[in-house]
């Protein structure tokens, strides 16, 4: 089976994790700060807060921005459910902004229309969460200037995106957002097994996210309410969680980060093979914006005929090719439908979903495997 995604673990990665196992600290030692600093250096963000998943990072990001009961958050319907769940964890309401038909990313035109409507109704969101689907940057210039116009904060869900850029700015630099989230789940670009991180240039947001990550507890003397209790004293100042990353994970992250650019280059090379393979056919690759470098988490293609997707999917699997679909629209999940969303609410997202298929793309795939996959898919679509 050619897997759709797979981690790439080197002997250096293994040595880095084993070294932590032999050290004094399995958690709350020097490796997490080292990983955070390495991600700051890479992305050019000022602060980074590592967590045990991107899901947790999205949650602490919402809390740090003050999202709570009575607030509203908007994200894309074409994403993993975590992009929306974080609003509900925070006690806020969720809504969605429809996507661009070619990219599946949040549509600036739909966002502009929805903002105008929301302003009329007197209920603007507190935060919007655009998602860089497949690692392809959303049109962040348009999205961030619209958000600024309405006084709305922005979290980029760049779970697919580490290693990519918008224009000359690395994703994670937060040039167009308050906070950026990355995921290090094994299917993503680099891995810490489970793990995530939030980057920001705002010291206060970083401090709040760090507080929420660790029970709402601080030990830093200058932040304590009770100054004279004693050197053993730590203080819980808000209701936080245990969302900490372990030292084992951070060591793996530091080691993986050294090969990030190589992974992204290889993913782009393979994506070019897919583009070349499908050019002139009725299978359309989902491509990044001109002025951005994609980390290429996923190779998504749009098929000519939604009615044939199921059959073609099953034929690909039978050929030993693990295909996938990213994503079933979040608003049509039974849980979200129980909140009142229904088919037809986001027609572009639903139309996008109906045609898409994800093909294998990761550094363990060879160019000849890509040719094999392209040939099979072309044959099944023509049949
Ligand atoms: C993977 C993913 C997440 C969640 O990441 P975890 O690290 O598994 O919690 C969130 N958003 C998107 C778009 C993702 O793909």
């Amino acid at each position: 089976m050619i897997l759709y995604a797979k981690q790439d673990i080197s002997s250096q990665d293994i040595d880095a994790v084993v070294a932590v196992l032999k050290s004094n600290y399995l958690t709350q030692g020097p490796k997490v700060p080292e990983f955070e600093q390495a991600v700051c250096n890479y992305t050019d963000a000022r602060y980074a807060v590592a967590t045990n998943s991107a899901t947790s990072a999205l949650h602490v990001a919402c809390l740090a921005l003050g999202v709570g009961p009575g607030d509203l958050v908007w994200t894309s319907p074409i994403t993993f459910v975590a992009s929306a769940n974080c609003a509900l964890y925070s006690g806020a309401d969720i809504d969605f902004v429809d996507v661009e038909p070619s990219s599946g990313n949040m549509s600036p035109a739909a966002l502009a229309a929805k903002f105008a409507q929301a302003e009329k109704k007197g209920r603007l969101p507190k935060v919007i969460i655009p998602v860089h689907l497949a690692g392809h940057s959303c049109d962040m210039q348009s999205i961030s200037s619209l958000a600024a116009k309405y006084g709305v904060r922005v979290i980029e869900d760049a779970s697919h995106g580490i290693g990519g850029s918008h224009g000359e700015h690395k994703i994670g630099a937060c040039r167009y957002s308050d906070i950026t989230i990355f995921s290090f789940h094994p299917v993503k670009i680099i891995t810490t097994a489970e793990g995530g991180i939030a980057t920001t240039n705002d010291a206060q947001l970083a401090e709040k996210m760090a507080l929420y990550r660790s029970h709402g507890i601080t030990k830093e003397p200058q932040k304590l309410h009770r100054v004279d209790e004693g050197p053993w004293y730590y203080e819980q100042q808000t209701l936080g969680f245990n969302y900490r990353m372990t030292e084992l994970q951070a060591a793996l992250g530091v080691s993986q980060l050294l090969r990030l650019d190589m992974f992204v280059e290889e993913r782009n090379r393979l994506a070019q093979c897919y583009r070349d393979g499908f050019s002139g056919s009725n299978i359309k690759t989902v491509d990044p914006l001109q002025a951005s470098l994609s980390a290429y988490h996923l190779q998504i293609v749009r098929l000519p005929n939604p009615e044939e997707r199921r059959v073609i999917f099953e034929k690909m699997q039978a050929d030993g090719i693990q295909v996938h679909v990213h994503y079933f629209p979040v608003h049509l999940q039974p849980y979200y439908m129980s909140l009142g969303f229904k088919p037809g609410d986001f027609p572009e997202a639903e139309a996008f979903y109906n045609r898409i298929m994800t093909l294998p793309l990761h550094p363990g795939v060879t160019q000849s495997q890509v040719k094999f996959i392209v040939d099979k898919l072309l044959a099944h679509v023509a049949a």
Side-chain angles (χ1 to χ4, degrees), residues 117-132:
Q117 243 185 357
E119 193 180 42
K120 251 192 238 155
K121 281 194 273 179
R123 193 167 185 222
L124 284 163
K126 180 169 257 179
V127 170
I128 57 170
I129 309 180
V131 180
H132 304 308

Side-chain angles (χ1 to χ4, degrees), residues 140-308:
M140 288 310 297
Q141 242 159 328
S142 304
I143 289 172
S144 70
S145 63
L146 280 166
K149 180 176 157 193
Y150 289 95
V152 172
R153 315 293 291 266
V154 180
I155 300 172
E156 290 173 77
D157 184 346
S159 289
H160 302 177
I162 196 165
S165 66
H166 343 260
E168 72 259 39
H169 307 286
K170 278 269 186 246
I171 295 185
C174 298
R175 183 71 169 62
Y176 303 106
S177 61
D178 297 285
I179 298 171
T180 302
I181 305 300
F182 295 121
S183 171
F184 306 120
H185 182 282
V187 299
K188 308 286 165 73
I189 313 296
I190 57 171
T191 190
T192 61
E194 296 284 356
I197 206 163
T199 64
T200 183
N201 296 319
D202 182 319
Q204 278 194 322
L205 288 177
E207 210 173 281
K208 284 182 183 166
M209 291 193 288
L211 199 63
Y212 283 117
R213 164 181 66 181
S214 197
H215 307 279
I217 283 175
T218 185
K219 281 182 192 171
E220 289 181 49
Q222 71 279 14
K223 289 182 196 149
L224 297 177
H225 295 188
R226 280 202 196 83
V227 285
D228 291 329
E229 188 63 23
W232 58 86
Y233 181 64
Y234 58 80
E235 197 167 84
Q236 183 181 352
Q237 299 182 334
T238 187
L239 184 61
F241 304 85
N242 183 350
Y243 282 168
R244 290 189 304 260
M245 177 180 272
T246 68
E247 293 285 288
L248 302 164
Q249 292 167 302
L252 181 53
V254 168
S255 181
Q256 285 262 300
L257 200 53
L258 299 174
R259 290 188 297 147
L260 173 56
D261 285 339
M262 206 183 76
F263 290 154
V264 170
E265 252 175 60
E266 186 55 24
R267 285 170 175 276
N268 274 274
R269 241 194 312 276
L270 295 168
Q272 183 64 48
C273 294
Y274 276 120
R275 270 198 303 277
D276 293 345
F278 293 124
S279 79
S281 81
N282 53 4
I283 296 164
K284 304 292 171 213
T285 52
V286 170
D287 300 331
L289 291 171
Q290 285 289 327
S292 75
L293 173 70
S294 178
Y296 257 109
H297 169 47
L298 302 171
Q299 177 60 65
I300 302 176
V301 295
R302 288 179 298 148
L303 302 177
N305 186 354
E307 282 74 46
E308 290 172 358

Side-chain angles (χ1 to χ4, degrees), residues 7 24 50 55 103 122 150 162 214 222 239 248 314 337 374:
Q7 70 277 12
N24 286 337
T55 302
S103 68
Y150 289 95
I162 196 165
S214 197
Q222 71 279 14
L239 184 61
L248 302 164
E314 286 166 353
M337 287 186 64
V374 166

